[in-house]
C-alpha cells in the first residue's frame, strides 16, 4: 500500500505554489526539469490538492499552470480520477490558464485540454503517447469536440504530435507566441481575467459550460472509455 501523504511530501520539491494576492492570481509550477517535468504519483496527488486549494481560496480568481525549463511536460499516468490529478481542472470553478512549451504530452495534454485558456510557445508539441501503441485516452470525445473530427483522427491514427501552429488553427490554443514572449503573454491573459467579472459570476458561467459538456456527451464518453479499457486485454499486437 502506497503512503500517499509521504509521496506528496516528497513531491513538494517538484511543484511550487505561489499567489499574487493583490491580483488574485495563483501559479502552480512543475519544477522537475531534469525529467522534463514528468509527473510521478506524489506529484499528481499534490497537484490535485493545490488545484482544490486555489478553488476554495477567496484570494484566488485565476490559476496559471506552467512548467520550469524547456517543457510543460511529457505526461504521467492515464487514470481519469481527481485524486490522480487528472480531472481537477474539469472541476475547477474559477479561471484556469495553461502555459505550454516544448513537450505537452499525455497527462500534461489533459491539463492543456481541460484549462479554460491555453497560451503556447511556438515550439510546443501536443499529443497523447498512448495513441502510438493502443489508441487509448479517456475523454477522447472532448478532444474531438475541441479540434474537430478529421484532425483528431489524424492525431489518433498517425500518433504524430501536432505543432502549436496546427493546434491554433484547429482552435485548441488561444495564443501562440515566441518562447521569449511566453510568460508575458500568459501574464496578459491572467491579468485580463483577474480584472473582469466577480468570482461568483465566473462560477455561474463555468456551470453553464459544464452543463453544455454534459449535454454533448460527458457521461457517454465515460461509458465508452470504460468499454475501451475493458477491451484492451483481448487486443492483439500485430
Amino acid at each position: 500500500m502506497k503512503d500517499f501523504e509521504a509521496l506528496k511530501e516528497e513531491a513538494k520539491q517538484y511543484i511550487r505554489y505561489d499567489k499574487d494576492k493583490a491580483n488574485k492570481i495563483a501559479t502552480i509550477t512543475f519544477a522537475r526539469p531534469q525529467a522534463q517535468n514528468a509527473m510521478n504519483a506524489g506529484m499528481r496527488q499534490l497537484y490535485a490538492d493545490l488545484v482544490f486549494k486555489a478553488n476554495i481560496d477567496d484570494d484566488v480568481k485565476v490559476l496559471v499552470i506552467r512548467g520550469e525549463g524547456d517543457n510543460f511536460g511529457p505526461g504521467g499516468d492515464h487514470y481519469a480520477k481527481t485524486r490522480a490529478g487528472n480531472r481537477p481542472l474539469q472541476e475547477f470553478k474559477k479561471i484556469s490558464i495553461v502555459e505550454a512549451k516544448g513537450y505537452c504530452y499525455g497527462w500534461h495534454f489533459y491539463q492543456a485540454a481541460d484549462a479554460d485558456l491555453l497560451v503556447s510557445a511556438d515550439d510546443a508539441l501536443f499529443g497523447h503517447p498512448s495513441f502510438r501503441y493502443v489508441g487509448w485516452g479517456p475523454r477522447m470525445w472532448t478532444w474531438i469536440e475541441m479540434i474537430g473530427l478529421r484532425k483528431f483522427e489524424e492525431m489518433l491514427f498517425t500518433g504524430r504530435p501536432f505543432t502549436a501552429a496546427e493546434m491554433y488553427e484547429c482552435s485548441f490554443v488561444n495564443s501562440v507566441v515566441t518562447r521569449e514572449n511566453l510568460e508575458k503573454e500568459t501574464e496578459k491573459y491572467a491579468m485580463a481575467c483577474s480584472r473582469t467579472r466577480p468570482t461568483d459570476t465566473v462560477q455561474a458561467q463555468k456551470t453553464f459550460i459544464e452543463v453544455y459538456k454534459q449535454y454533448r456527451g460527458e457521461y457517454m464518453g465515460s461509458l465508452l472509455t470504460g468499454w475501451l479499457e475493458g477491451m484492451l486485454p483481448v487486443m492483439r499486437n500485430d
Side-chain angles (χ1 to χ4, degrees), residues 29-189:
T29 303
F30 304 133
R32 197 185 178 202
Q34 68 275 20
Q36 300 174 339
N37 294 322
M39 302 293 286
N40 58 35
M43 291 174 69
R44 293 190 300 273
Q45 300 292 329
L46 179 58
Y47 171 75
D49 287 353
L50 292 174
V51 173
F52 178 74
K53 176 181 178 180
N55 206 26
I56 62 173
D57 187 345
D58 289 339
D59 290 327
V60 174
K61 183 185 287 187
V62 180
L63 176 64
V64 174
I65 301 104
R66 56 165 44 113
E68 187 178 282
D70 292 331
N71 303 284
F72 181 51
D77 75 12
H78 312 300
Y79 296 109
K81 303 172 184 175
T82 296
R83 64 180 181 273
N86 217 37
R87 282 188 65 92
L89 292 187
Q90 280 280 92
E91 301 171 7
F92 190 61
K93 296 305 181 187
K94 299 177 182 179
I95 300 168
S96 58
I97 302 173
V98 159
E99 179 187 278
K101 57 185 174 180
Y103 292 129
C104 185
Y105 288 176
W107 183 93
H108 291 82
F109 182 83
Y110 273 93
Q111 310 316 309
D114 287 346
D116 297 307
L117 300 173
L118 177 57
V119 180
S120 176
D122 55 10
D123 63 359
L125 293 172
F126 297 87
H128 199 301
S130 71
F131 292 162
R132 297 189 67 83
Y133 56 83
V134 75
W136 178 89
R139 295 207 302 284
M140 288 197 294
W141 74 273
T142 61
W143 304 338
I144 294 172
E145 288 274 295
M146 295 182 76
I147 71 176
L149 180 59
R150 292 292 190 191
K151 282 298 182 182
F152 178 72
E153 286 182 322
E154 182 180 344
M155 180 182 285
L156 178 66
F157 297 135
T158 67
R160 74 169 180 87
F162 276 42
T163 65
E166 288 176 302
M167 295 303 260
Y168 180 80
E169 289 175 4
C170 59
S171 301
F172 187 85
V173 173
N174 293 96
S175 178
V176 178
V177 296
T178 59
R179 174 69 72 93
E180 56 265 29
N181 290 319
L182 181 60
E183 289 189 17
K184 184 177 180 181
E185 183 76 353
T186 303
E187 181 184 11
K188 181 184 78 174
Y189 273 86

